Amino acid sequence: MTKKIGVLAVQGAFYEHIRTLEKCGVQCIEIRKKSDLTALPLDGLVLPGGESTVMGKLMGELELLEPIRALIEEGLPVLGTCAGLILLAKEIAADPVVHLGTMAIVARRNAYGRQLGSFQTIAEFTGGRKIPMVFIRAPFIDAVSADVEILAQVDGHIVAARQNNMVVTAFHPELTDDLTVHYYFLTLVDKALQKKKNLHRLTAIQVSDCR
Amino acid sequence: MNNRYELNKNLAQMLKGGVIMDVTTAEQARIAQEAGACAVMALERIPADIRSAGGVSRMSDPKMIKTIQAAVSIPVMAKVRIGHFAEAQILEAIEIDYIDESEVLSPADDTYHIDKRHFSVPFVCGAKDLGEALRRISEGASMIRTKGEPGTGDVVQAVRHMRLINQQIRTIQNTRTDELYQIAKDLQIPYDLVKSVFETGKLPVVNFAAGGIATPADAALMMQLGAEGVFVGSGIFKSGNPAKRAHSIVKAVTNFNDAKLLAELSEDLGEAMVGINEQEIELLMAQRGI
């Protein structure tokens, strides 16, 4: 069955993620309001790049913040790029604001300065593969807790990481033709689906045992 | 073009679905950010005041722009006069995030626009039709906005420009490939850009609506006509309750298709900017720099 991935579409470069995910053969659902989260069962969620202040604010006002936090805590796989990374971070350096706050990382906003500091590079993403990375007024990760896996570093700064069902990148995989990060995220989605299936089977066995 | 140009187009992509607001002070910039602006345009006087004051209108004081840069974390844009590359050099030196080569200010050159390819910072330019849009892109603009008629609170020209640009794109898409050369000639633009529009059915850069947008309904109208985001100039800080209006316009841009929500957003906004109809104005800023 085709996997269904929700893409937060309140502001920013959500269309670029949809285009990329469709190349990977999944169905995308734009999330603009609360009912979009429940209209179809989602297998994963993408928080795209944009302005984190705007996205965080709109998520709050459109009553998306709490339901999305609950879905992530229940184990829904989520990919956050750039602003999406900031939305997921438990702490933002030099900023009291926390949005979803589900991932044990400290994010630093505009870590490379203004637009003149934006850059593109090629660096290793977990597994040894080198991929193009585009940083636009990007953050990086200042610190991570012990159970966070570091997926990529550029100039000594953490720019991609994973904690359980959450993957974040400071760069924009959706702005290049390289699908590595999206496929990495989709393997998490597959694992979560498999786990759910096993759980169902287990419950079914238990139920039949009781009979 | 180089990698820097791609990065500059990418920043515009991040602004999509957002509202860029004109602000004249650090305090207004904070209100705009708080209301959910995805960027602010720092300028000394908003277009409505430029219009009523008359005289020559120039780039803002860099010191004032710096106080706004210090006040907010979102991108800060500022305007230079058409053709005034020295003003643009100054804004690049203070690390502005986007330069608007704008018809709202008095043009410094009545023939040539800035050669924007020589800059590292990105440029946004206004356009009334596809020819203008692609000429600016050919000069190095990495974002386009409709010109509209700034400082009027009258959306009619922004509508006209957005419709025209999209009509012309559709025409090109329906043209035989061997006729594209003539279109390039007619529109006075390089063939490669015509070919790109033919193949993709859109401009090669992000396209926002600007000029005369004053209400959540105006913003929704422009989004439904194909804008990828909106600039709001005088409409906010010339109205009765700027914070609330700014807020509502931001939400209207996200949910531009949800009429029920738009109805709620349009309630109780206080007095809108008074505005002037296009027939009542003597100075058509949109005619500057074509």
Side-chain angles (χ1 to χ4, degrees):
Chain A
M1 211 176 64
T2 315
K3 291 186 273 281
K4 293 180 186 65
I5 306 295
V7 180
L8 184 70
V10 295
Q11 192 265 323
F14 51 87
Y15 172 70
E16 287 75 356
H17 270 292
I18 293 173
R19 198 188 48 194
T20 311
L21 286 163
E22 284 175 349
K23 275 191 214 162
C24 302
V26 307
Q27 185 189 339
C28 293
I29 294 140
E30 290 185 14
I31 309 293
R32 290 171 191 270
K33 52 183 186 291
K34 207 170 152 187
S35 57
D36 296 333
L37 286 169
T38 45
L40 282 169
L42 298 179
D43 302 318
L45 180 67
V46 172
L47 307 174
E51 274 304 314
S52 62
T53 49
V54 183
M55 288 162 64
K57 190 158 200 55
L58 284 167
M59 280 167 83
E61 288 174 5
L62 298 164
E63 295 174 23
L64 285 167
L65 203 64
E66 291 307 323
I68 287 180
R69 186 183 290 138
L71 284 172
I72 295 171
E73 281 168 353
E74 283 164 22
L76 183 75
V78 56
L79 169 66
T81 60
C82 194
L85 177 154
I86 295 163
L87 294 177
L88 287 166
K90 199 153 253 168
E91 193 185 325
I92 302 172
D95 193 337
V97 178
V98 176
H99 303 284
L100 291 161
T102 49
M103 188 167 178
I105 56 172
V106 181
R108 182 167 293 276
R109 290 186 65 203
N110 301 336
Y112 299 94
R114 300 190 165 277
Q115 173 60 7
L116 284 174
S118 294
F119 65 102
Q120 180 173 6
T121 187
I122 293 174
E124 192 177 310
F125 185 74
T126 187
R129 185 153 178 193
K130 290 201 164 184
I131 62 167
M133 299 180 181
V134 178
F135 293 83
I136 305 293
R137 282 175 49 99
F140 58 59
I141 300 173
D142 259 356
V144 298
S145 84
D147 62 336
V148 174
E149 182 190 352
I150 293 166
L151 302 178
Q153 296 193 61
V154 169
D155 301 330
H157 299 295
I158 305 168
V159 295
R162 180 183 75 89
Q163 183 183 27
N164 303 320
N165 54 326
M166 296 169 278
V167 186
V168 291
T169 65
F171 55 92
H172 292 280
E174 78 283 11
L175 294 179
T176 68
D177 292 327
D178 189 284
L179 303 175
T180 308
V181 173
H182 287 87
Y183 274 125
Y184 177 85
F185 167 63
L186 291 174
T187 57
L188 288 192
V189 173
D190 284 333
K191 275 184 202 158
L193 282 170
Q194 195 58 43
K195 208 167 142 189
K196 221 193 248 170
K197 223 185 264 171
N198 289 344
L199 208 66
H200 276 302
R201 202 174 299 149
L202 211 62
T203 341
I205 294 168
Q206 279 164 353
V207 170
S208 64
D209 279 353
C210 295
R211 281 197 193 116
Chain B
M1 268 188 250
N2 58 20
N3 178 249
R4 184 47 55 186
Y5 183 63
E6 284 304 315
L7 293 168
N8 288 340
K9 285 204 290 187
N10 289 158
L11 176 58
Q13 285 173 279
M14 294 307 139
L15 301 174
K16 282 192 298 181
V19 182
I20 299 168
M21 301 181 193
D22 279 0
V23 297
T24 57
T25 62
E27 181 52 28
Q28 286 185 355
R30 273 189 288 266
I31 293 173
Q33 176 171 270
E34 185 52 35
C38 68
V40 288
M41 178 76 70
L43 68 178
E44 256 153 26
R45 282 177 296 177
I46 54 174
D49 291 336
I50 291 175
R51 194 173 277 289
S52 58
V56 176
S57 181
R58 309 177 178 89
M59 174 190 78
S60 298
D61 182 342
K63 191 175 169 188
M64 167 269 182
I65 297 171
K66 283 195 213 160
T67 61
I68 289 175
Q69 284 176 319
V72 294
S73 64
I74 53 179
V76 177
M77 304 182 164
K79 290 183 194 291
V80 300
R81 288 179 263 176
I82 290 173
H84 207 315
F85 52 84
E87 284 185 348
Q89 288 159 359
I90 290 169
L91 290 185
E92 182 167 69
I94 62 165
E95 296 201 14
I96 201 78
D97 291 303
Y98 241 99
I99 294 175
D100 184 359
E101 186 182 16
S102 177
E103 67 282 3
V104 171
L105 306 183
S106 310
D109 193 317
D110 54 9
T111 310
Y112 301 104
H113 278 74
I114 297 172
D115 181 357
K116 296 167 271 290
R117 296 182 191 225
H118 283 187
F119 288 80
S120 294
V121 288
F123 280 81
V124 53
C125 289
K128 300 193 296 294
D129 55 47
L130 186 64
E132 271 185 46
L134 294 177
R135 283 196 290 279
R136 298 295 86 77
I137 291 168
S138 149
E139 294 155 4
S142 46
M143 180 177 182
I144 292 293
R145 56 173 174 74
T146 60
K147 283 180 167 173
E149 195 50 36
T152 59
D154 187 354
V155 79
V156 65
Q157 301 224 25
V159 168
R160 196 180 291 151
H161 301 162
M162 188 57 76
R163 277 195 187 273
L164 182 57
I165 289 173
N166 289 330
Q167 276 163 9
Q168 290 175 306
I169 289 176
R170 288 194 296 273
T171 307
I172 287 183
Q173 278 187 287
N174 289 325
T175 303
R176 275 170 57 105
T177 48
D178 61 354
E179 292 167 359
L180 293 175
Y181 301 93
Q182 184 59 37
I183 292 195
K185 208 162 104 185
D186 291 342
L187 296 182
Q188 301 174 7
I189 44 183
Y191 168 75
D192 285 347
L193 286 174
V194 182
K195 195 162 153 259
S196 145
V197 169
F198 173 77
E199 284 164 357
T200 62
K202 60 196 285 298
L203 289 180
V205 304
V206 166
N207 185 17
F208 269 45
I213 294 158
T215 66
D218 288 349
L221 173 70
M222 295 313 301
M223 292 298 285
Q224 289 188 40
L225 285 174
E228 295 180 284
V230 301
F231 283 84
V232 186
S234 320
I236 289 175
F237 289 101
K238 275 282 160 190
S239 74
N241 187 345
K244 190 168 182 192
R245 184 169 293 266
H247 234 94
S248 299
I249 293 178
V250 168
K251 278 208 249 179
V253 167
T254 297
N255 287 291
F256 60 89
N257 269 328
D258 186 340
K260 223 170 140 187
L261 182 66
L262 291 172
E264 285 168 32
L265 294 173
S266 306
E267 269 181 28
D268 230 3
L269 288 178
E271 205 173 323
M273 163 185 188
V274 175
I276 10 173
N277 294 310
E278 68 163 350
Q279 296 83 356
E280 300 165 359
I281 47 178
E282 285 168 10
L283 173 67
L284 272 177
M285 289 175 174
Q287 298 306 334
R288 292 166 164 177
I290 54 173

